[in-house]
């Protein structure tokens, strides 16, 4: 609701906005670390300063009690209601490597895997083969042809690749062929709704031709398909909020979701936080007025249950803040796309702390950027897709509603 209204009221001028995402930042208190969350434990003098000069709150990426994937979590903070705008992982993977998806394309993620005798899955990631080997395998699959269907196979990273089918009448009501477990057979191609019969045939043909090509290869002699997604174009941040947006992200999935929202990609050189800060600065110098910057490793450490590493990743991000302050942003927002509590080793439904610095704020209400302080901060608790309105307002990019 507020994003739609913000779209109607948005102005084509105003301040420059940085949206910095520490992926999976939210956590829960952990008894063996003094009942503190990683954000509470971390030494974060720079974020503390932004907090006392700015305002805190917390967002619900989807809704209370709902655990989001990273795709919906990001779409929400970009101002899209993630329940209305559904995007499958396959499409994100393809967009993330810069593939130009067309309306109606069907994309799926490929995992190269190791199959034993009688086709049982021994390793769902084929020992995380190198990206070079992945690229070689993908080349060998490029010979696959299916009448009436254009097929594109592209490498992503390590054991991950993606396939795009282009034809009329494709459906994404197709179940993953990855059973998610070793010791099982890959699943058959199963339609999850009527009208997917043609697609089932296409995918079965692709899998059978690829099994012939991969037969006898070591260690990747099979593939699993996941995240079937039909590509539908979405209105961009330019269409919706009159922004000229850029993205700085190291991982394909986040580059994918950013390109869906119409953000131009800026490469991080070197591929770390210092490179990301440089890329953000370049984007501002190029006239971009909205920059999304993604820090992945708070999420990976949470998923590994590694509390101390998550603390270090937060501190690393904190060290990057002086550089971000020099880029020339008028509004800086630091938040996450969801919570990834270390004791759970999974994404969770817990609200995500939000810090907004810049523009007129009810400043001075909070002292540290933590879950505890964010839960009673001046911004309150709101839906993730309402964040964009708060950022646009802080940057002076929203007109008054009514006379
Ligand atoms: Zn995430």
């Amino acid at each position: 609701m507020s994003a739609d209204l913000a779209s109607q009221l948005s102005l084509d001028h105003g301040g420059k906005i940085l949206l910095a995402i520490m992926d999976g930042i939210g956590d829960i208190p952990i008894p063996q670390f003094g009942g503190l969350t990683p954000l509470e434990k971390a030494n974060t003098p720079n974020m503390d300063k932004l907090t006392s000069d700015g305002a805190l709150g917390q967002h619900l990426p989807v809704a209370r009690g709902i655990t989001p994937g990273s795709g919906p979590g990001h779409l929400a903070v970009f101002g899209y209601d993630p329940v209305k705008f559904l995007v499958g992982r396959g499409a994100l993977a393809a967009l993330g490597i810069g593939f130009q998806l067309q309306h109606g394309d069907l994309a799926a993620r490929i995992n190269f895997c190791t199959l034993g005798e009688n086709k049982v899955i021994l390793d769902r990631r084929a020992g995380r083969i190198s990206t070079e080997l992945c690229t070689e395998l993908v080349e060998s699959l490029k010979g696959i042809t299916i009448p009436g269907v254009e097929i594109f196979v592209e490498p992503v990273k390590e054991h991950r690749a993606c396939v795009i089918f282009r034809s009329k009448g494709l459906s994404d009501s197709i179940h993953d062929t990855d059973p998610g477990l070793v010791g099982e057979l890959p699943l058959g191609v199963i339609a999850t709704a009527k009208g997917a019969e043609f697609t089932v045939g296409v995918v079965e043909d692709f899998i059978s031709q690829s099994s012939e090509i991969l037969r006898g290869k070591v260690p990747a002699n099979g593939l699993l398909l996941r995240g079937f997604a039909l590509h539908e174009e979405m209105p961009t941040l330019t269409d919706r909020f009159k922004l000229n947006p850029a993205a700085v992200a190291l991982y394909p999935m986040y580059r994918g979701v950013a390109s869906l929202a119409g953000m131009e990609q800026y490469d991080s050189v070197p591929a770390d936080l210092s490179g990301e800060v440089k890329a953000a600065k370049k984007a501002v110098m190029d006239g971009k007025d909205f920059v999304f910057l993604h820090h992945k490793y708070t999420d990976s450490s949470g998923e590994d249950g590694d509390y101390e590493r998550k603390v270090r990743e937060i501190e690393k991000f904190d060290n990057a803040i002086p550089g971000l302050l020099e880029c020339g942003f008028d509004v800086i927002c630091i938040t996450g796309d969801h919570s990834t509590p270390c004791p759970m080793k999974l994404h969770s439904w817990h609200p995500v702390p939000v810090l907004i610095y810049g523009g007129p704020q009810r400043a001075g209400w909070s002292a540290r950027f933590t879950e505890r302080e964010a839960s009673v901060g001046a911004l309150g608790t709101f839906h993730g897709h309402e964040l964009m309105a708060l950022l646009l307002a802080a940057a002076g990019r929203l007109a008054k509603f009514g006379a």
Side-chain angles (χ1 to χ4, degrees):
M1 180 57 201
S2 93
D4 291 343
L5 205 48
S7 170
Q8 287 168 35
L9 300 173
S10 62
L11 304 169
D12 61 4
H13 56 271
K16 295 184 187 68
I17 300 166
L18 170 70
L19 174 61
I21 298 293
M22 278 194 277
D23 206 299
I25 187 61
D27 217 296
I28 58 180
I30 295 164
Q32 61 268 42
F33 291 100
L36 300 177
T37 68
L39 270 177
E40 290 176 318
K41 183 82 176 173
N43 177 30
T44 56
N46 296 306
M47 284 196 282
D48 296 351
K49 177 82 171 73
L50 296 190
T51 298
S52 48
D53 295 342
L56 292 190
Q58 55 181 6
H59 80 82
L60 294 158
V62 183
R64 288 185 199 275
I66 304 300
T67 297
S70 281
H74 275 87
L75 280 182
V77 292
F78 297 160
Y80 299 82
D81 181 344
V83 180
K84 244 168 50 185
F85 295 93
L86 299 172
V87 187
R89 289 289 296 232
L92 291 177
L95 290 163
I97 53 166
F99 187 88
Q100 297 289 322
L101 281 177
Q102 295 182 8
H103 197 84
D105 282 357
L106 177 67
R109 303 163 80 198
I110 292 176
N111 261 22
F112 286 108
C113 66
T114 311
L115 301 176
E117 284 178 38
N118 53 43
K119 304 262 175 162
V120 162
I121 301 168
L122 299 179
D123 185 337
R124 290 174 53 240
R125 300 181 182 88
R128 289 190 187 275
I129 54 170
S130 67
T131 305
E132 289 72 31
L133 179 54
C134 175
T135 308
E136 259 176 55
L137 293 170
V138 161
E139 280 307 313
S140 69
L141 296 181
K142 287 192 171 168
I144 296 178
T145 56
I146 299 174
V149 184
E150 260 187 286
I151 301 171
F152 307 89
V153 192
E154 301 293 339
V156 177
K157 201 174 185 191
E158 297 171 345
H159 57 285
R160 293 189 297 270
C162 63
V163 56
I164 297 100
F165 301 99
R166 182 170 293 163
S167 179
K168 281 210 172 17
L170 292 167
S171 161
D172 57 4
S173 300
I174 300 287
H175 200 281
D176 293 355
T177 71
D178 181 1
L181 295 167
V182 293
E184 307 243 333
L185 293 171
L187 300 174
V189 183
I190 301 160
T192 55
K194 283 206 168 122
E197 295 77 10
F198 168 64
T199 310
V200 168
V202 169
V203 177
E204 278 176 342
D205 196 351
F206 177 79
I207 291 176
S208 109
Q209 292 190 49
S210 61
S211 329
E212 283 306 311
I213 293 168
L214 298 174
R215 184 197 298 271
K217 295 210 195 288
V218 181
N221 60 346
L223 55 77
L224 300 169
L225 296 177
R226 302 191 290 159
F228 286 92
L230 267 192
H231 180 59
E232 290 173 53
E233 304 219 330
M234 283 180 12
T236 65
L237 292 184
T238 310
D239 301 332
R240 300 187 71 211
F241 305 122
K242 303 189 176 73
L243 291 166
N244 181 7
V248 183
L250 301 179
Y251 282 74
M253 144 105 201
Y254 311 97
R255 296 168 73 93
V257 70
S259 83
L260 208 55
M263 298 183 203
E264 190 179 327
Q265 310 284 342
Y266 275 71
D267 286 327
S268 168
V269 185
D272 61 15
L273 257 175
S274 75
E276 291 198 291
V277 172
K278 279 186 213 154
K281 187 165 196 173
K282 169 135 194 349
V284 173
M285 285 180 349
D286 288 353
K288 300 294 176 186
D289 47 28
F290 179 93
V291 177
F292 152 59
L293 183 144
H294 183 254
H295 182 50
K296 169 73 182 164
Y297 306 111
T298 34
D299 178 59
S300 357
S301 46
E303 289 204 322
D304 291 343
D306 191 336
Y307 182 94
E308 280 158 331
R309 199 169 98 228
K310 191 163 179 181
V311 169
R312 281 199 304 277
E313 287 301 334
I314 292 167
E315 292 177 344
K316 247 190 242 170
F317 182 82
D318 192 74
N319 281 333
I321 287 178
L324 290 170
L325 285 169
E326 286 168 12
C327 292
F329 293 105
D330 301 288
V331 173
I332 292 181
C333 174
I334 301 171
T335 184
D337 54 335
H338 52 78
S339 296
T340 307
C342 293
M344 295 175 67
K345 301 186 177 182
L346 289 168
H347 293 191
S348 79
W349 59 89
H350 300 91
V352 184
V354 176
L355 158 60
I356 302 178
Y357 165 83
Q361 298 294 345
R362 288 182 176 155
W365 289 27
S366 308
R368 292 209 63 215
F369 180 54
T370 64
E371 295 86 348
R372 211 175 300 248
E373 293 207 23
S375 72
V376 291
L379 300 170
T381 301
F382 50 91
H383 281 109
H385 68 268
E386 296 173 307
L387 174 64
M388 189 58 100
L390 290 170
L391 302 183
L392 294 168
R397 303 184 70 102
L398 288 186
K400 184 164 65 173
F401 177 60

